[in-house]
Amino acid sequence: MRQFKAILKKDIVMELRTKEMLTSMGLYTLLTLVVYYVALSQAGNGFDVRLIAGGLLWLAFLFTSMLGLNRSLVHEKDQGCLEALLLSPLDRPVIFFGKAVGNLIFLLIVEVLTIPIFMLMFLSGRPIVGPIWGIAVALLVGAVGISGIGTLLATMSVNTTGKDFILAVLFIPIMFPLLYAAVAATSAIIIGNPGYMSLFWTAMAIGAAYDVIMLVAAYGLYEFIIGA
Amino acid sequence: MKQLRTALVLLIVGGVLTTIDLFWAFWRSTVVTFGTATFPNAVTTARPLLGQTAQGFIYGKAWFSQKIFYFHVPVAEASFLVFGVAAFFAIRFLMTRRKDYDTKSRIAMEVTLLFVILTMITGDLWTKASWGVWWQWEPRLTTYFIMTLLVIAYFVLRNSVEDEERRAVYAAVFCIIAFIDAPISFLITRLIPSDHPVVFTPNGLDASQLIPFIIGQIGMLMIGYAIYTMRMSEERLHERLDVAKESLEG
């Protein structure tokens, strides 16, 4: 537990000093919102943006999380930190959970900051039918899966010649079931068709099950990746 | 050398079986009907006469696009199976770190890629004929498309790692993670309401359909195994060549 805290603290202290990850992820999300405006600009006033709001939100998170995951592991590699971690008498799973929880925290911060801005810019005047905590649950389930398997794939991709391109190629198809469940749950809350709560819980159950499978796989396989 | 000869024989037998399967499917299997058409007079047609009412003669509307089933389903099931073999060898590699398991896993993935592409092509022919569109974002199609992307990603990953041992480990780990999608794709039509037909239910197929299907399935597995064995013996020759080159240079 102390080892875990030390790794987590290292990441947070570094972030507090440089503020690099949060700035780049936050700014990237804002830019994505501008691109969304352009994409929707010709749709006309009759178009109900709530129908695709869940999808837009998760698209922004997916891309910004890839940016963040890549950054977090590139730092480790460039400064020789990963080798140092391997030399230290740490349990390998602890390294994995330390990095994954660090990434989870940063991703959650970006999500919490983005959602109000997104709602202000795209959903003002259009009511959200379901309870707001539903969106929070969806965010948490999605973020856990993204940072868990994402940390494993990012550790792989920083050691390849393609780096962030390889991360995208590996990450997006692996993430697909979770992304689908997260979008379904978020959209159910925002649109609120009849019986939306049962759709929400089904999607969340699928998402959570996928999280568990992926976390177990990542936990078991991380040792091979980091040792190679 | 003996293995290679067996592989060649299997390839030929498998090819013959698949061909028989297709001929049988087109000539002898019961045509599945999906509706009826009524004509005022009796007409000459291969389609079955179902009955006669005051309006005229009723004929079954044939579902000829269903014929692609005899190729599409065997190759799709073979692709799941070979993917499983690749994942199995990937696990064996991580346990033992023996290089030939990595080669076996890679070759199995190559066969998977071939079968997956064939499945996508034959599946598309069917969707166009049956649903009238080339592509539909439907659970089975979507998850299978994701599986295709994962198999392609495996080779992209392999090509971008320079260190040989690291490449093998990364590829094995990714192969195992990617394989998680295969059972999802296989089971999804049984879990979620979907337009994609589920064939293997009780009373799903009658004998004239089941026999050619089984022949085709066996043929396809033989072809898969033959390609795998031939590629393996080619790889072994490559390795021997490399060793010979090194000893000549050294």
Side-chain angles (χ1 to χ4, degrees):
Chain A
M1 204 58 204
R2 268 185 49 229
Q3 301 175 334
F4 170 75
K5 272 185 193 154
I7 292 188
L8 194 59
K9 200 179 149 203
K10 163 189 82 67
D11 277 3
I12 292 175
V13 166
M14 194 166 109
E15 180 57 32
L16 285 177
R17 288 199 187 135
T18 62
K19 302 185 186 61
E20 195 190 322
M21 254 171 77
L22 283 179
T23 340
S24 56
M25 284 167 83
L27 208 54
Y28 188 81
T29 329
L30 287 183
L31 292 171
T32 317
L33 296 187
V34 176
V35 176
Y36 286 167
Y37 163 69
V38 176
L40 295 171
S41 61
Q42 303 302 313
N45 285 333
F47 179 69
D48 187 359
V49 77
R50 288 186 309 156
L51 294 176
I52 58 168
L56 292 181
L57 208 52
W58 275 101
L59 219 63
F61 294 150
L62 184 79
F63 285 118
T64 196
S65 68
M66 282 204 297
L67 188 82
L69 287 167
N70 201 38
R71 292 270 84 210
S72 113
L73 268 304
V74 164
H75 276 311
E76 302 274 3
K77 192 175 153 57
D78 285 353
Q79 297 164 5
C81 187
L82 217 52
E83 278 87 5
L85 280 179
L86 284 175
L87 286 174
S88 64
L90 285 169
D91 295 335
R92 299 295 159 86
V94 171
I95 302 183
F96 169 68
F97 280 115
K99 288 304 293 178
V101 171
N103 286 329
L104 176 66
I105 290 172
F106 295 138
L107 186 58
L108 282 177
I109 291 175
V110 171
E111 287 181 346
V112 168
L113 292 178
T114 309
I115 289 219
I117 303 176
F118 181 82
M119 298 213 167
L120 193 79
M121 286 178 157
F122 288 96
L123 292 175
S124 60
R126 294 193 168 93
I128 292 174
V129 181
I132 293 291
W133 57 261
I135 296 183
V137 173
L139 284 182
L140 191 66
V141 169
V144 166
I146 286 179
S147 43
I149 197 71
T151 303
L152 174 83
L153 294 179
T155 314
M156 263 202 246
S157 64
V158 286
N159 286 316
T160 62
T161 49
K163 288 209 169 70
D164 34 2
F165 162 68
I166 297 293
L167 181 61
V169 170
L170 305 181
F171 183 68
I172 292 176
I174 292 277
M175 230 53 271
F176 171 83
L178 180 62
L179 189 65
Y180 192 92
V183 170
T186 316
S187 297
I189 293 286
I190 293 179
I191 301 168
N193 284 331
Y196 66 94
M197 273 325 263
S198 77
L199 174 63
F200 171 78
W201 287 118
T202 317
M204 279 298 86
I206 294 172
Y210 197 71
D211 273 3
V212 171
I213 296 172
M214 279 302 164
L215 277 179
V216 169
Y219 167 78
L221 294 170
Y222 199 70
E223 198 179 331
F224 297 110
I225 290 296
I226 204 166
Chain B
M1 215 50 219
K2 198 181 154 206
Q3 249 187 339
L4 195 58
R5 216 172 294 137
T6 330
L8 261 177
V9 172
L10 276 179
L11 187 66
I12 293 165
V13 174
V16 169
L17 283 183
T18 323
T19 318
I20 292 176
D21 156 48
L22 274 184
F23 271 107
W24 193 321
F26 274 93
W27 285 17
R28 307 218 53 93
S29 299
T30 328
V31 175
V32 178
T33 53
F34 70 101
T36 54
T38 312
F39 294 97
N41 305 308
V43 289
T44 318
T45 167
R47 296 165 194 190
L49 177 66
L50 296 178
Q52 199 179 0
T53 59
Q55 278 84 38
F57 296 88
I58 302 170
Y59 291 95
K61 270 190 193 169
W63 212 18
F64 278 108
S65 62
Q66 176 258 352
K67 300 290 187 191
I68 198 77
F69 157 84
Y70 298 97
F71 188 79
H72 174 69
V73 180
V75 85
E77 291 193 340
S79 77
F80 285 123
L81 194 74
V82 188
F83 200 173
V85 171
F88 170 75
F89 281 132
I91 294 171
R92 293 290 299 148
F93 171 76
L94 288 181
M95 285 162 69
T96 61
R97 298 293 174 118
R98 278 174 50 196
K99 198 179 158 236
D100 56 328
Y101 281 127
D102 174 50
T103 315
K104 280 178 182 168
S105 178
R106 173 165 58 90
I107 303 294
M109 280 303 265
E110 282 176 12
V111 181
T112 313
L113 183 62
L114 177 71
F115 281 2
V116 157
I117 289 171
L118 283 175
T119 309
M120 291 295 278
I121 293 172
T122 51
D124 252 4
L125 294 177
W126 188 81
T127 7
K128 180 66 184 154
S130 192
W131 298 341
V133 288
W134 286 111
W135 182 261
Q136 192 170 348
W137 290 101
E138 178 269 350
R140 167 59 69 73
L141 269 60
T142 312
T143 46
Y144 201 83
F145 180 56
I146 296 294
M147 202 175 107
T148 314
L149 289 177
L150 287 169
V151 177
I152 295 170
Y154 174 88
F155 290 101
V156 175
L157 176 66
R158 277 202 88 97
N159 281 332
S160 78
V161 187
E162 275 155 5
D163 183 66
E164 206 167 307
E165 200 187 320
R166 182 178 274 171
R167 180 196 307 147
V169 175
Y170 283 13
V173 167
F174 186 70
C175 180
I176 295 167
I177 297 177
F179 182 67
I180 294 173
D181 191 58
I184 295 178
S185 178
F186 186 75
L187 292 173
I188 197 128
T189 44
R190 289 163 176 82
L191 299 175
I192 297 176
S194 141
D195 288 339
H196 193 281
V198 179
V199 183
F200 295 98
T201 51
N203 320 319
L205 295 171
D206 66 42
S208 80
Q209 294 165 329
L210 194 59
I211 292 169
F213 172 76
I214 290 173
I215 293 176
Q217 182 73 74
I218 293 171
M220 201 55 73
L221 289 177
M222 279 181 177
I223 293 176
Y225 181 76
I227 297 173
Y228 169 79
T229 316
M230 285 162 129
R231 282 285 291 124
M232 267 317 278
S233 65
E234 191 194 336
E235 280 300 315
R236 289 210 183 88
L237 278 180
H238 262 299
E239 275 165 25
R240 273 169 62 192
L241 190 67
D242 284 344
V243 172
K245 263 186 193 167
E246 262 173 38
S247 66
L248 277 176
E249 278 166 7

